[in-house]
Amino acid sequence: MHLLHQTLPSKFNLKLGLQVAAIVTHAPSSRDSGKKVLPSPVAQYALDKGLPSHLIFSPEKAGDEAFLSALRELQPALCITAGYGNTLPTKFLKIPVHGTMNMHPSLLPLYRGAAPVQRALQDGVPETGVTLAFTVRKLDSGPMIASKRFQVDDLIKAPELLSFLVSEGSKLLIRELSSILDGSAKSKAVPQDDSKATLAPKLAPDEAWLSFNQEAFVLHNKVRAFAGWPGTCAKFVVFDDKSSQEKVLELKIITTRVCQALEIWDGEQDYVTFKKGSLMFPCKGDTALEVISDTIL
């Protein structure tokens, strides 16, 4: 979350003569088996760019009075949120002079929530985008001032798509900043149609497992969607003809491709085959999931 100020001196400058008054991000976390406590990537980036540490806030809750008091003293012109993940209280939303702007990586009102890019890929959408909307108390449902659409390649994964949408959303934000700051954005903002809203709940680790009684394209989309976290996994049984023993292997599935016309020979449709350097998993509807890249867990 960025707080923009029009006069605060800082080395951390933006275009249009604006400067970052402060940054709100997640608290430092333990890494390397708990031996080091490091700032969030956003905080580290801000520090590297010269933003003083006292202007980087990590409140436990956005409604903490000490945090809100410090925020009022800064008198920010505008607040910008992107993937912050916490609900902003009314007390917060009243502080920025020109309101709070949310850069959301979906075509609102579609995919409101914590995982819009992942859930869109999981659904196999052919198109997505990024939307700028004013932040209100209701989840991702504020009036929209601009959006941009993009076609979705059927091989792109969530981390790459998210990075692309954030980059494009930043360009869109810079384009619209002048209208936000002169107040004209509020008059042109379009209310969202709540009847068309869909939700994008956060991902859960127990969703990572693949079930091959689904069609291959469903599994392929899930691999793409879950590529950043939590990943996708599969179990299969390896049978040793010589010893007549079975061993269960767990694979982390990294990259896949859909085969629409799987050639099945001599009743082998229940078996995983190895073909041209890839594992071929038979799936529902005479389809197969070709696993191009994986690792044993």
Side-chain angles (χ1 to χ4, degrees):
M1 183 190 304
H2 294 170
L3 309 176
L4 299 187
H5 199 294
Q6 291 175 299
T7 58
L8 182 72
S10 170
K11 295 180 181 178
F12 200 49
N13 298 331
L14 294 177
K15 294 182 179 180
L16 303 178
L18 296 173
Q19 297 162 322
V20 174
I23 282 180
V24 185
T25 183
H26 297 292
S29 59
S30 298
R31 303 178 198 175
D32 296 335
S33 302
K35 295 180 180 179
K36 293 182 179 180
V37 178
L38 300 175
S40 74
V42 171
Q44 187 60 59
Y45 180 85
L47 291 169
D48 292 344
K49 291 296 181 178
L51 190 71
S53 59
H54 71 277
L55 295 179
I56 300 174
F57 297 101
S58 300
E60 186 174 336
K61 294 181 180 180
D64 289 350
E65 282 303 326
F67 164 65
L68 292 176
S69 178
L71 181 60
R72 291 187 189 98
E73 290 184 9
L74 288 172
Q75 298 180 334
L78 174 68
C79 178
I80 301 165
T81 63
Y84 183 56
N86 292 329
T87 301
L88 297 175
T90 302
K91 288 182 179 180
F92 178 100
L93 296 176
K94 287 182 177 180
I95 295 175
V97 176
H98 296 288
T100 298
M101 183 61 54
N102 181 26
M103 185 176 72
H104 191 72
S106 82
L107 294 172
L108 291 173
L110 301 179
Y111 297 103
R112 295 175 177 173
V117 172
Q118 295 91 332
R119 296 303 183 185
L121 287 181
Q122 187 177 11
D123 289 344
V125 297
E127 181 184 63
T128 189
V130 62
T131 305
L132 295 181
F134 284 104
T135 301
V136 296
R137 286 287 291 156
K138 189 177 178 182
L139 178 68
D140 296 328
S141 59
M144 304 175 292
I145 69 165
S147 64
K148 196 169 183 181
R149 296 174 177 270
F150 302 98
Q151 297 299 307
V152 179
D153 184 276
D154 62 3
L155 295 178
I156 195 169
K157 298 177 183 178
E160 291 79 16
L161 181 56
L162 178 59
S163 178
F164 172 76
L165 292 177
V166 168
S167 175
E168 292 298 322
S170 299
K171 297 174 187 176
L172 191 62
L173 174 63
I174 291 172
R175 190 190 78 186
E176 297 293 334
L177 268 178
S178 59
S179 69
I180 297 170
L181 295 173
D182 68 19
S184 61
K186 287 189 176 181
S187 62
K188 75 174 183 178
V190 178
Q192 295 187 39
D193 184 348
D194 289 344
S195 68
K196 296 180 179 179
T198 61
L199 296 180
K202 66 180 181 180
L203 308 183
D206 59 3
E207 294 184 79
W209 294 100
L210 300 182
S211 176
F212 294 97
N213 59 3
Q214 297 177 300
E215 293 190 16
F217 76 90
V218 175
L219 303 179
H220 172 65
N221 288 337
K222 188 172 184 178
V223 171
R224 298 161 58 214
F226 286 41
W229 186 89
T232 44
C233 308
K235 291 182 181 181
F236 65 102
V237 177
V238 177
F239 182 77
D240 189 330
D241 290 330
K242 294 182 179 180
S243 64
S244 298
Q245 291 183 340
E246 295 181 349
K247 182 179 180 180
V248 177
L249 288 183
E250 295 183 3
L251 287 182
K252 181 176 182 179
I253 308 298
I254 299 172
T255 304
T256 58
R257 187 163 49 216
V258 176
C259 297
Q260 291 293 345
L262 175 65
E263 296 181 12
I264 301 174
W265 301 279
D266 301 325
E268 298 283 322
Q269 64 268 28
D270 293 329
Y271 295 91
V272 178
T273 58
F274 190 73
K275 185 177 181 182
K276 295 181 179 180
S278 301
L279 288 172
M280 306 287 289
F281 286 80
C283 303
K284 183 179 179 180
D286 289 335
T287 62
L289 186 70
E290 182 181 0
V291 177
I292 302 169
S293 177
D294 61 75
T295 182
I296 296 177
L297 296 176

